[in-house]
Amino acid sequence: DVVVWVSFTSRLSLKRREAGGWTYGMRWLVRDGRRSVLVLLYSFIQPEKAPDAMSEIERELCALMERNPPSQEEMSRAAAMLTRGMPSAYETSAQIAAALAEAIASELPDDYFRVLPDRIGKLNRDDLVAIAHDICRPPVTWLIIGDVSSIENSLKARSRSKPEFISHKEVP
């Protein structure tokens, strides 16, 4: 996730910010469940740019999994970003309690947080490609919040499946 979209220098953030000027950055949230994982990618994008941005996200995911896996530099930068901030994530009682709750709810081993930095450091390119395949396999659901009337036709044209449009008036 750090390679593709989380960090300021990630592939999608750079493309959308520097080349396209469409957004300042992408954000990513992963919520693990016992049987499934919710992966949420979000960004604030100009409405008329949304269809192109969605296509770019799909292209970048495919590239990561198929023809353009992460470079060693990208992997090193991502590992450093993920591990160097870990100590500050466990400074307060509330942070430690949240980590313990996560460990218990996810049935993590007792030493999970202690060994996590080493595990991240040992990941190789093939590992990341396999993880990307697991996380990013279809079906992908896109949720666009805002007025889609100006981009509805573009979304229909680019979609691999029939898009559904729900008005805020239809939501209970």
Side-chain angles (χ1 to χ4, degrees), residues 1 9-10 24-25 28-29 32 44 47 58 60 63 73 81 85-86 99 104 112-113 122 124 128 139 161 163-165:
D1 63 333
T9 58
S10 68
Y24 194 64
W28 160 276
L29 175 69
D32 292 327
F44 299 98
E58 289 177 348
E60 198 58 55
E73 178 187 349
M81 182 182 155
M86 283 182 162
I104 292 167
Y112 177 80
F113 293 105
K122 291 178 183 174
N124 62 42
L128 294 183
S161 60
E164 295 180 41
F165 299 94

Side-chain angles (χ1 to χ4, degrees), residues 54-124:
M54 293 164 66
S55 295
E56 182 66 31
I57 290 165
E58 289 177 348
R59 275 193 301 277
E60 198 58 55
L61 280 174
C62 290
L64 178 68
M65 294 185 290
E66 296 165 4
R67 61 188 176 282
N68 189 14
S71 68
Q72 188 57 48
E73 178 187 349
E74 287 175 312
M75 290 179 56
S76 297
R77 188 174 56 234
M81 182 182 155
L82 290 170
T83 58
R84 288 183 184 159
M86 283 182 162
S88 66
Y90 309 109
E91 290 181 327
T92 68
S93 298
Q95 290 171 314
I96 293 169
L100 287 171
E102 177 185 351
I104 292 167
S106 301
E107 299 178 356
L108 301 174
D110 292 343
D111 64 349
Y112 177 80
F113 293 105
R114 184 179 57 77
V115 300
L116 185 59
D118 289 334
R119 292 182 63 204
I120 290 171
K122 291 178 183 174
L123 289 172
N124 62 42

Side-chain angles (χ1 to χ4, degrees), residues 97-153:
L100 287 171
E102 177 185 351
I104 292 167
S106 301
E107 299 178 356
L108 301 174
D110 292 343
D111 64 349
Y112 177 80
F113 293 105
R114 184 179 57 77
V115 300
L116 185 59
D118 289 334
R119 292 182 63 204
I120 290 171
K122 291 178 183 174
L123 289 172
N124 62 42
R125 192 182 286 192
D126 291 339
D127 295 329
L128 294 183
V129 170
I131 291 167
H133 274 287
D134 284 347
I135 291 175
C136 303
R137 65 178 176 255
V140 173
T141 300
W142 293 96
L143 173 64
I144 300 171
I145 299 173
D147 181 9
V148 297
S149 61
S150 62
I151 59 171
E152 187 173 341
N153 290 334

Side-chain angles (χ1 to χ4, degrees), residues 8-37:
F8 190 72
T9 58
S10 68
R11 293 177 182 185
L12 280 172
S13 288
L14 283 173
K15 283 182 179 180
R16 297 291 53 88
R17 182 181 66 249
E18 304 297 331
W22 298 352
T23 184
Y24 194 64
M26 311 293 279
R27 300 293 180 262
W28 160 276
L29 175 69
V30 177
R31 290 289 180 236
D32 292 327
R34 291 190 186 270
R35 296 173 198 240
S36 64
V37 176

